[in-house]
Amino acid sequence: KQEVTQIPAALSVPEGENLVLNCSFTDSAIYNLQWFRQDPGKGLTSLLLIQSSQREQTSGRLNASLDKSSGRSTLYIAASQPGDSATYLCAGGGSQGNLIFGKGTKLSVKP
Amino acid sequence: GAGVSQTPSNKVTEKGKYVELRCDPISGHTALYWYRQSLGQGPEFLIYFQGTGAADDSGLPNDRFFAVRPEGSVSTLKIQRTERGDSAVYLCASSLNGGTGVRTDTQYFGPGTRLTVL
């Protein structure tokens, strides 16, 4: 059974700092890896989707990597801003798209 | 364009009652997913529809939970004899085609329905 773990559970950084969020999964047979952002009381917003055949995806200040062999993904955020404060969730995808989520990393970027 | 919408946004019910939660996916999306999220946890997969059929209902916790999507668009999650442990935020997501094993489409989530069972 797929299990997804995110470290750290919470992170506080000063504005402008570059940071890395970590995600690990137990079953390397995932079909994709997705990163989401969740603001308090809100639904999830998709940030990046890495298909199983890909190694990384980039969008603006965000870069996500996927290493299936080691069961790891990272989300890199460059030049963090207070508006980046949210909970970041990673999820491993099954063959039909159903997602197994980690518990998330709560990020706080201080002005 | 319009995103995924869910109604109601909040539902308070008493233990033992029946509730229905509605999801309106993005127009044209064939795949629809239900998840539930407890406080401090990531969302937990419940059921996946491809068109009108439930392609994977392995995440439904027990037979009190049931979901339908009769016309391949709107979906309703139904919970019978609610229990306090059912309290959570129920999230719905849709994607264009779901997954094929080779390629998976991005899932777009609705704002959720917060269910409180007293």
Side-chain angles (χ1 to χ4, degrees):
Chain A
K1 179 184 175 185
Q2 180 72 271
E3 292 184 6
V4 178
T5 303
Q6 291 188 247
I7 295 173
L11 180 64
S12 181
V13 300
E15 181 177 4
E17 195 163 291
N18 302 324
L19 60 100
V20 175
L21 306 182
N22 296 292
C23 172
S24 62
F25 44 93
T26 54
D27 185 352
S28 62
I30 60 170
Y31 287 83
N32 63 82
L33 193 292
Q34 299 188 44
W35 284 92
F36 294 86
R37 167 185 174 139
Q38 187 171 33
D39 293 281
K42 306 288 187 182
L44 280 65
T45 300
S46 178
L47 297 174
L48 291 164
L49 164 62
I50 309 175
Q51 304 290 349
S52 61
S53 58
Q54 299 173 325
R55 295 297 300 268
E56 67 175 342
Q57 284 288 332
T58 297
S59 176
R61 295 183 292 108
L62 305 179
N63 175 276
S65 67
L66 174 62
D67 184 342
K68 290 180 63 177
S69 62
S70 67
R72 295 186 179 191
S73 176
T74 61
L75 178 66
Y76 174 82
I77 302 177
S80 57
Q81 303 171 357
D84 295 331
S85 298
T87 295
Y88 290 80
L89 293 155
C90 81
S95 62
Q96 300 187 99
N98 53 302
L99 298 172
I100 306 297
F101 283 85
K103 292 184 179 182
T105 293
K106 185 174 182 179
L107 173 65
S108 177
V109 181
K110 304 295 186 184
Chain B
V4 177
S5 62
Q6 293 184 246
T7 55
S9 56
N10 281 283
K11 176 70 176 178
V12 180
T13 190
E14 293 179 344
K15 180 175 179 292
K17 299 291 188 182
Y18 168 84
V19 296
E20 291 189 350
L21 311 179
R22 176 186 168 109
C23 172
D24 280 82
I26 293 173
S27 178
H29 281 194
T30 64
L32 186 146
Y33 305 82
W34 283 98
Y35 298 85
R36 78 175 171 181
Q37 186 174 25
S38 299
L39 194 62
Q41 305 293 314
E44 171 192 20
F45 169 74
L46 296 176
I47 187 169
Y48 159 58
F49 285 91
Q50 181 57 252
T52 60
D56 182 356
D57 64 358
S58 62
L60 294 178
N62 50 60
D63 60 6
R64 295 187 298 105
F65 288 74
F66 188 71
V68 296
R69 195 186 184 198
E71 298 179 357
S73 178
V74 171
S75 177
T76 304
L77 178 65
K78 307 180 181 189
I79 310 174
Q80 298 177 326
R81 305 183 302 281
T82 52
E83 300 177 356
R84 293 193 179 88
D86 298 336
S87 296
V89 176
Y90 288 80
L91 296 165
C92 174
S94 70
S95 71
L96 189 58
N97 292 307
T100 65
V102 175
R103 174 180 174 78
T104 303
D105 293 324
T106 297
Q107 291 185 30
Y108 297 88
F109 280 76
T113 293
R114 182 176 297 279
L115 175 66
T116 303
V117 182
L118 301 176

